[in-house]
């Protein structure tokens, strides 16, 4: 009987250690202070708000973003109803300062009141500088971007 109990105890401890302790796999909404609750990705940095396709989106970077390592972002629509958001197709990627695309466009997944994105910047292609958000809706494809340093906007050279 001890032989059967040991694997069962190990299996139970593995299931207890998996996940983030939340049901449904979604994260809670960001805190009112503009910072997001702790996640497995690291500390949140509010990059600012970008207007794309006539809609405003707040973008947060979760943790550090390094070439060759997966990074995460949260995008929170401002004043966009849930049914309207469902009709939009949002993608996010990162670029270098010179506009070189460093990661593949990733489609956002609904999480709480926003969307969650993962992207992995290529190694040797440049340093990640900005997050680019693309919105596709009703035949329209528009893009907006924010620098990764949290400054909220870019300055011309």
């Amino acid at each position: 009987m001890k032989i059967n109990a040991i694997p069962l105890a190990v299996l139970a401890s593995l299931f207890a250690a998996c996940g983030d302790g939340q049901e449904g796999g979604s994260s809670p909404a960001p805190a009112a202070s503009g910072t997001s609750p702790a996640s497995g990705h690291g500390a949140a940095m509010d990059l600012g708000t970008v207007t794309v396709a006539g809609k405003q989106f707040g973008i947060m970077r979760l943790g550090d973003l390094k070439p060759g390592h997966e990074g995460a972002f949260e995008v929170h629509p401002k004043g966009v109803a849930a049914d309207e958001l469902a009709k939009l197709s949002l993608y996010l990627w990162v670029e270098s300062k010179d506009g070189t695309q460093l990661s593949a466009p990733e489609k956002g997944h609904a999480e709480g009141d926003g969307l969650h994105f993962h992207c992995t910047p290529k190694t040797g292609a440049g340093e990640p500088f900005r997050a680019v958000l693309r919105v596709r809706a009703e035949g329209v494809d528009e893009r907006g971007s924010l620098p990764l340093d949290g400054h909220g906007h870019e300055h011309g050279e």
Side-chain angles (χ1 to χ4, degrees):
M1 193 68 162
K2 286 184 179 180
I3 295 174
N4 290 335
I6 292 172
L8 222 90
V10 170
L11 186 60
S13 69
L14 287 174
F15 282 121
C18 291
D20 58 5
Q22 299 175 29
E23 292 184 34
S26 64
S27 65
S33 67
T35 61
S36 178
S39 72
H41 299 293
M45 175 185 276
D46 185 357
L47 301 182
T49 301
V50 65
T51 301
V52 185
K55 295 163 185 38
Q56 291 189 328
F57 300 92
I59 301 179
M60 298 189 81
R61 186 186 78 209
L62 304 177
D64 293 328
L65 189 60
K66 299 176 185 172
H69 295 84
E70 183 179 74
F73 294 85
E74 287 181 359
V75 174
H76 296 276
K78 298 180 180 212
V80 179
D83 60 336
E84 186 179 4
L85 182 61
K87 295 176 187 175
L88 301 175
S89 183
L90 281 81
Y91 291 83
L92 185 137
W93 65 87
V94 294
E95 293 182 346
S96 64
K97 193 169 188 172
D98 69 2
T100 301
Q101 186 175 323
L102 301 180
S103 68
E106 294 293 331
K107 187 167 180 153
H109 300 283
E111 206 171 90
D113 65 346
L115 298 167
H116 188 83
F117 297 83
H118 288 136
C119 64
T120 304
K122 300 173 200 168
T123 57
E127 191 64 29
F129 178 76
R130 73 177 60 87
V132 179
L133 182 68
R134 178 178 71 198
V135 177
R136 284 187 176 170
E138 300 173 12
V140 176
D141 183 7
E142 292 188 30
R143 301 169 188 194
S145 64
L146 289 169
L148 296 172
D149 64 5
H151 185 68
H153 62 274
E154 292 185 45
H155 296 274
E157 292 295 323

